[in-house]
Amino acid sequence: MKDIQFSMLRNKEIIVGVCGGIAAYKTAELIRMLTRRGANVHVVMTKNAMQFVTPLTFQTLSGNPVIHEMFELFRGSKIGHIALSDIADLLVIAPATANIIGKIANGIADDFLTTMVMATTVPVFFVPSMNTKMWSSKMVQANLHKLRDAGYEMMEPASGDLACGTDGKGRLPTIEEIVERIEDIFTQKDLVGERILVTAGPTMEFIDPVRCITNRSSGKMGYAIAKIAKRRGADVVLVSGETSITLHRTDIPVIRATTACDMLDCVMAHQKESTVVIKTAAVADFRCSNSNCQKIKKKGDTNILNLELEKNPDIIAELCKIKGDRIIVGFAAETENIIEHALDKLKRKNLDLIVANNVAQEGIGFGSEENEVTIIDRSGSTKQVPRLSKDEIAHIILDSVKKLIKKRHRVKTD
Ligand code: CTP
């Protein structure tokens, strides 16, 4: 099944170079994920890589012949390393061993993979993985430095237990993290200079230490916006309620906020540095005014338990009171009279944009992978966005934000 996620990798020709490290078995999953996102993957293996995985595995997963001989021809007749690098959009080396890093940093081209790296003009992305002592050796670090200086893309290895029985830096990052970085390479950086604060997920209000009032928001829309904004070059801070989502990026600070009051504090602490605030969080409107510090016990045969609720602060409305020239985007999750309610919120809270969706509609409601929204601006003009993946919706919302940013710059410079 194709990955339903929107991806910049669709129709891209990606060459994956596999070297002789134990992490080579993980590259099988990388190839699978790249092809699921629509990329056409060609695999080049070094001799040592074949000690760990057979070419048949990669051939089956990529759907293309695997190249491992220095003088192999491409598609039967063309000089392999030149022809393949000519059609490539990106070359990924995963795992990149100390050996390949050393060879390329020093201009050695003695097999198919290294000659192809010399022959290519497209980005080359190294994903190193090795023993922690090898990683920190002076020679490897000096070679990595050389590669970075020469403009090659690079990812730091992860830390943890290593196949050689030690613990430390040297693990291949997760496949999701690698793919996220590959998406970065193909994404236009049109939000550089913007500092975007995103809130996501539900808030939770405690009744007692084990029970709470919350809502069905999964946080997926907010996480998608944070991730896509980062891919497009913005500095992003994510304030998140309790969710089970993994971001697969280590360059977005995630600040946890459980209750609405926590979220207000976090937003207020970070709003000053932000140029844009996007509030997808589903904030509980009320909290218990007398939440118990011990678990409430069933008493006697009473069938009714009364909870006294008090209003929570309206975070976005508070923010709009001190908004300055910041762009503030709200969300309106509605079940009826969608546009009417959303417009009312936009005006009442003094927002710049509001994104309305019908959470009662099957397939686009809470927790789903897709959404269908209407984006409304202050003039009341609406943009209808059909049912798409949340990543695609995030791009479209950020396009609308970008239009407002441009307008803001024009006003400033007039
Ligand atoms: N919001 C907020 N603080 C609150 C309530 C909502 O910041 N206490 C923000 C949400 O993050 C969202 C927007 O306001 O961006 C609209 O949220 P919504 O819950 O739809 O609106 P409410 O004002 O709570 O109205 P209602 O619950 O009556 O629909």
Side-chain angles (χ1 to χ4, degrees):
M1 193 191 86
K2 287 265 173 204
D3 201 319
I4 64 156
Q5 274 190 60
F6 167 78
S7 173
M8 301 309 259
L9 310 188
R10 205 164 289 167
N11 300 325
K12 294 287 187 291
E13 300 286 340
I14 300 182
I15 319 291
V16 177
V18 190
C19 306
I22 184 61
Y25 80 94
K26 296 184 182 172
T27 309
E29 189 55 38
L30 173 65
I31 292 160
R32 196 155 168 71
M33 209 178 272
L34 295 176
T35 54
R36 273 186 177 165
R37 289 184 184 218
N40 189 21
V41 178
H42 305 267
V43 179
V44 176
M45 295 177 80
T46 64
K47 278 222 154 49
N48 288 338
M50 289 191 294
Q51 299 285 334
F52 293 90
V53 186
T54 67
L56 184 63
T57 305
F58 294 139
Q59 182 160 335
T60 309
L61 295 174
S62 68
N64 284 313
V66 171
I67 301 178
H68 45 83
E69 290 303 325
M70 172 76 183
F71 297 107
E72 230 165 295
L73 296 176
F74 181 60
R75 290 179 182 152
S77 59
K78 297 197 173 114
I79 298 171
H81 58 274
I82 306 291
L84 198 55
S85 62
D86 278 351
I87 63 153
D89 293 301
L90 174 72
L91 220 153
V92 182
I93 304 182
T97 54
N99 184 44
I100 201 89
I101 288 167
K103 277 196 203 173
I104 295 169
N106 293 286
I108 295 171
D110 66 349
D111 63 4
F112 195 100
L113 183 57
T114 47
T115 43
M116 201 176 56
V117 172
M118 298 303 152
T120 196
T121 51
V122 299
V124 180
F125 175 42
F126 286 82
V127 191
S129 172
M130 66 196 75
N131 164 274
T132 190
K133 283 186 189 143
M134 288 172 80
W135 170 255
S136 49
S137 86
K138 281 193 180 144
M139 290 320 293
V140 169
Q141 286 303 315
N143 287 332
L144 288 165
H145 198 77
K146 265 191 182 176
L147 292 178
R148 280 195 202 96
D149 274 357
Y152 290 108
E153 302 277 344
M154 188 79 60
M155 199 168 177
E156 290 278 305
S159 294
D161 60 316
L162 301 170
C164 51
T166 53
D167 218 326
K169 198 165 179 178
R171 282 174 67 85
L172 197 80
T174 67
I175 301 305
E176 289 82 359
E177 284 168 349
I178 299 172
V179 172
E180 188 56 32
R181 279 291 302 274
I182 296 174
E183 293 272 5
D184 268 7
I185 293 170
F186 287 112
T187 307
Q188 203 198 335
K189 304 285 173 273
D190 59 348
L191 291 174
V192 172
E194 298 305 322
R195 294 181 303 279
I196 305 186
L197 175 61
V198 182
T199 71
T203 59
M204 242 180 212
E205 306 299 337
F206 289 95
I207 299 168
D208 66 22
V210 294
R211 302 180 181 100
C212 63
I213 300 171
T214 186
N215 58 67
R216 294 176 56 209
S217 166
S218 65
K220 284 180 185 167
M221 192 65 244
Y223 274 65
I225 291 175
K227 182 180 70 179
I228 300 294
K230 187 72 203 182
R231 277 189 202 164
R232 287 171 65 162
D235 278 332
V236 178
V237 174
L238 176 62
V239 174
S240 173
E242 304 284 332
T243 72
S244 55
I245 305 172
T246 313
L247 206 45
H248 304 303
R249 305 196 62 116
T250 50
D251 53 1
I252 300 179
V254 182
I255 300 148
R256 297 279 163 191
T258 305
T259 66
C261 289
D262 291 344
M263 193 170 272
L264 175 69
D265 291 345
C266 294
V267 167
M268 287 305 169
H270 287 89
Q271 52 84 23
K272 246 194 185 145
E273 310 89 67
S274 61
T275 54
V276 177
V277 182
I278 305 180
K279 276 214 86 260
T280 66
V283 185
D285 290 327
F286 292 91
R287 66 178 179 275
C288 287
S289 40
N290 49 357
S291 101
N292 275 57
C293 40
Q294 299 298 335
K295 186 181 174 195
I296 301 171
K297 305 302 285 179
K298 287 194 288 290
K299 280 184 212 120
D301 29 297
T302 339
N303 286 331
I304 291 172
L305 172 71
N306 287 313
L307 293 177
E308 193 181 285
L309 301 177
E310 65 182 285
K311 216 170 187 179
N312 265 330
D314 190 321
I315 305 168
I316 208 165
E318 290 303 314
L319 194 61
C320 284
K321 287 182 193 159
I322 50 162
K323 75 191 273 199
D325 58 7
R326 234 168 266 123
I327 290 162
I328 303 200
V329 182
F331 268 68
E334 307 291 347
T335 55
E336 56 175 359
N337 305 327
I338 321 285
I339 305 298
E340 194 186 312
H341 284 314
L343 249 175
D344 170 60
K345 282 175 194 173
L346 176 110
K347 287 188 182 140
R348 195 160 33 86
K349 303 192 188 207
N350 191 24
L351 309 175
D352 296 292
L353 279 183
I354 194 151
V355 182
N357 69 334
N358 183 352
V359 284
Q361 201 174 316
E362 199 156 319
I364 58 162
F366 292 118
S368 54
E369 300 302 327
E370 296 182 317
N371 210 346
E372 183 181 318
V373 302
T374 306
I375 305 172
I376 312 168
D377 70 15
R378 286 172 77 88
S379 71
S381 91
T382 60
K383 182 180 172 65
Q384 208 77 39
V385 186
R387 188 166 167 160
L388 292 168
S389 74
K390 287 189 173 169
D391 280 5
E392 276 169 294
I393 301 267
H395 269 292
I396 294 167
I397 293 168
L398 289 166
D399 288 343
S400 297
V401 169
K402 203 178 120 189
K403 270 193 198 146
L404 293 184
I405 293 170
K406 275 194 177 159
K407 222 171 168 183
R408 182 182 64 189
H409 285 319
R410 271 204 303 274
V411 172
K412 270 189 178 170
T413 49
D414 276 353

